[in-house]
Amino acid sequence: MIFGFGRKADDDDDDDEDEEIDFIQFQGSLNGVTPDLSENAKLVQAGLVAAKHLVSEGLSHRAEMIRLEPKGNVAASTFFVDGVPFAPTRMSSQQALAVTQMLKLLAGLNIKDRSKPQAGGIKADYEGTPYEVMIDIQPIAQNVERLIVRMRNMKQSYNSPKDLGMSESLVEKFREIVTTHEGLCLAVGPPFSGVTSVCQAMVRSIDAYLFAIYSLANLQGRELIGVNQYKPANPNDSFEITLGRAKREDCDVMVVDPLKTKEYATTVLEHSKGMTFFSEMPAKDSADGIVRLVELVGNPKLVTEKLKIVVSQKLIRMLCKKCRQAYRPNPKLLAKVGLPPETSVLYRAPRPDDDDEEDDEEEGICRRCNGVGFYGRTGLLEAIEMSDVIKKLVLAGAPADALRAKAREEKMQSFQHDGIRLVAEGKTSLEELQRAFRAK
């Protein structure tokens, strides 16, 4: 544990030793519901400052997510920095309840309902930077809720190919597909894996000066440069009618909402002649995404005819540029992991017994990353193209494992292949690759 978060419930109060934290400013709910703070004065008194403190402290330590989970008379508060959880701190269950209810109120959610999942968001400002604070409520027992807080910096963009570290070869594949003016390009992934960012980065691979790109999707407040938001001509127009009109207006690329129902997914596939669709859906990885799409649509032949490529992402930590350490790799190691034999240098995070003369802390801890050795994350991307052999497997009802194996056999881009590329570029380490692949 390199640094701690928050204070334990039994910590002694010592104002002189407490580190000052600039509090976040909440500026209204994302759903437009204005909470009545005067009607909930007792809740505001008990929970507002504590809620501000929790979220502000998370932001001060670069946490992208906070989990607050009651466990009997205490609640565990866990901060996630670059996807890695740090040792939880404690607060009383009463204070955790006040924080949870306060954030629900500010997000325009129903504070009286503690039996159903709820989700919402809050507009906020922290040290002059706009944020969206997303609130997810998950009931775990009678009148007991788990709180998930995710903070999104509205000034940071992660929806371009460069932002995601997408290889040029993968970018070229999307460009080639779009020139055919047909088919579906699909991004898949589990919750919180950045699947929406992947989908939007795929779209950003396309030259908006050469192709007409429209969107019927909810972009969740993100701006996609060169993409025109398309609307039905009449409020009562169906999705199918709107697609037909877009096609007549020479739309080349259409971005649509996640594929969740059989009717919606089938309509997208059936209309993917004359324009290329980009969409997303939940799945474990690319192979699982193909299987799930077939199950959703119920028509393997339609899927194999229209689906072009499926891309999934695994987030991985990037080495801190200030304190990463270079080393000369063993030739046997290079051969084992598949790096070119001429590779002369790789990088790793500082080790506890290493002396770094360039550290600017007396204790030898890097100020930029707080001694973690990593700063920020990027994506490992895998892609399965619908080649003839993959299509045959899908039509035969092959499971996801068989699709993965065939994709590797055909040298399609895998997580491992993309990870080795990032290691060679000095963006991450072999140790971080091992950690990411061990993680479920």
Side-chain angles (χ1 to χ4, degrees):
M1 181 65 180
I2 297 173
F3 50 82
F5 299 117
R7 293 184 300 167
K8 295 183 179 180
D10 56 354
D11 279 351
D12 293 331
D13 289 332
D14 188 343
D15 293 338
D16 292 335
E17 294 182 5
D18 283 346
E19 181 182 355
E20 289 190 10
I21 298 176
D22 291 331
F23 277 174
I24 192 169
Q25 300 300 314
F26 296 126
Q27 300 174 330
S29 66
L30 293 179
N31 63 10
V33 175
T34 302
D36 190 337
L37 300 184
S38 60
E39 184 179 325
N40 297 276
K42 289 185 178 180
L43 174 58
V44 172
Q45 183 177 8
L48 181 57
V49 172
K52 284 188 173 184
H53 187 280
L54 179 69
V55 178
S56 301
E57 191 170 19
L59 288 171
S60 73
H61 289 294
R62 297 195 301 109
E64 73 275 359
M65 188 174 83
I66 304 170
R67 183 178 63 211
L68 183 59
E69 186 164 6
K71 297 182 178 181
N73 294 325
V74 298
S77 173
T78 306
F79 284 36
F80 292 76
V81 180
D82 296 331
V84 176
F86 284 82
T89 56
R90 293 176 293 152
M91 67 174 68
S92 69
S93 59
Q94 292 87 351
Q95 187 178 26
L97 174 61
V99 169
T100 300
Q101 291 292 86
M102 189 70 237
L103 290 174
K104 286 171 63 177
L105 181 66
L106 293 171
L109 304 179
N110 185 355
I111 63 173
K112 295 181 180 180
D113 188 350
R114 293 164 61 184
S115 63
K116 299 177 182 177
Q118 297 189 62
I122 309 167
K123 300 174 186 176
D125 181 277
Y126 180 70
E127 296 184 341
T129 299
Y131 280 86
E132 284 185 353
V133 180
M134 307 306 297
I135 308 298
D136 284 286
I137 304 296
Q138 304 168 358
I140 55 177
Q142 185 175 6
N143 290 326
V144 179
E145 298 171 314
R146 178 190 295 118
L147 168 68
I148 303 291
V149 183
R150 290 175 289 125
M151 294 83 79
R152 176 181 160 202
N153 185 335
M154 300 303 291
K155 286 187 176 180
Q156 291 180 342
S157 172
Y158 296 102
N159 58 8
S160 75
K162 184 178 180 180
D163 293 336
L164 264 66
M166 189 177 289
S167 66
E168 188 59 33
S169 61
L170 190 54
V171 170
E172 284 300 322
K173 290 187 188 301
F174 299 132
R175 293 173 178 170
E176 291 173 7
I177 291 171
V178 170
T179 60
T180 67
H181 294 89
E182 67 175 342
L184 168 66
C185 298
L186 188 63
V188 302
F192 309 132
S193 66
V195 63
T196 298
S197 294
V198 173
C199 182
Q200 295 182 1
M202 291 161 61
V203 176
R204 289 281 299 276
S205 300
I206 312 305
D207 191 335
Y209 290 100
L210 297 178
F211 299 94
I213 308 175
Y214 296 160
S215 173
L216 283 167
N218 178 2
L219 299 180
Q220 302 180 13
R222 307 187 191 194
E223 181 183 2
L224 275 177
I225 300 173
V227 176
N228 300 308
Q229 195 66 36
Y230 199 72
K231 297 181 180 179
N234 300 299
N236 295 326
D237 282 354
S238 67
F239 179 52
E240 190 170 3
I241 289 175
T242 301
L243 290 179
R245 183 167 64 89
K247 191 178 297 185
R248 290 191 297 273
E249 294 178 8
D250 295 327
C251 170
D252 296 309
V253 174
M254 178 62 79
V255 185
V256 294
D257 283 319
L259 307 182
K260 295 181 178 180
T261 68
K262 177 179 180 179
E263 180 183 8
Y264 191 85
T266 301
T267 301
V268 168
L269 292 171
E270 289 179 343
H271 281 74
S272 59
K273 178 69 176 178
M275 58 182 172
T276 305
F277 284 85
F278 284 77
S279 187
E280 62 181 88
M281 68 180 295
K284 179 181 177 181
D285 56 22
S286 297
D288 184 51
I290 296 172
V291 173
R292 291 196 184 199
L293 181 60
V294 171
E295 292 174 349
L296 179 66
V297 175
N299 186 341
K301 188 173 185 297
L302 179 62
V303 171
T304 56
E305 288 177 349
K306 301 299 184 180
L307 183 61
K308 297 296 184 181
I309 190 171
V310 184
V311 179
S312 58
Q313 174 180 245
K314 183 186 291 288
L315 291 172
I316 190 168
R317 294 184 298 173
M318 293 190 294
L319 287 165
C320 176
K321 293 181 180 179
K322 188 170 184 180
C323 68
R324 68 177 184 175
Q325 295 186 335
Y327 69 97
R328 187 178 299 279
N330 186 300
K332 292 183 179 179
L333 175 64
L334 296 177
K336 182 178 180 180
V337 300
L339 283 165
E342 62 271 18
T343 302
S344 59
V345 62
L346 294 178
Y347 293 87
R348 66 188 178 201
R351 296 179 175 177
D353 56 347
D354 288 334
D355 293 325
D356 189 348
E357 298 179 356
E358 295 184 3
D359 282 341
D360 50 11
E361 292 274 8
E362 292 183 3
E363 299 85 354
I365 295 178
C366 174
R367 288 181 178 174
R368 183 172 187 263
C369 68
N370 286 321
V372 176
F374 295 90
Y375 191 97
R377 289 191 289 176
T378 190
L380 302 182
L381 297 173
E382 73 163 8
I384 295 184
E385 300 170 65
M386 296 300 290
S387 64
D388 290 340
V389 291
I390 294 293
K391 289 179 181 180
K392 289 180 181 178
L393 287 174
V394 173
L395 291 172
D401 286 344
L403 299 180
R404 292 188 197 99
K406 183 56 68 174
R408 287 194 297 269
E409 184 180 318
E410 293 216 320
K411 307 296 184 184
M412 295 183 187
Q413 181 168 312
S414 65
F415 287 134
Q416 291 82 355
H417 178 271
D418 207 32
I420 291 301
R421 175 181 67 87
L422 294 177
V423 169
E425 293 175 357
K427 294 179 179 178
T428 193
S429 66
L430 288 171
E431 293 81 3
E432 172 63 7
L433 281 185
Q434 292 174 342
R435 184 202 67 83
F437 289 129
R438 283 198 304 267
K440 293 182 179 180

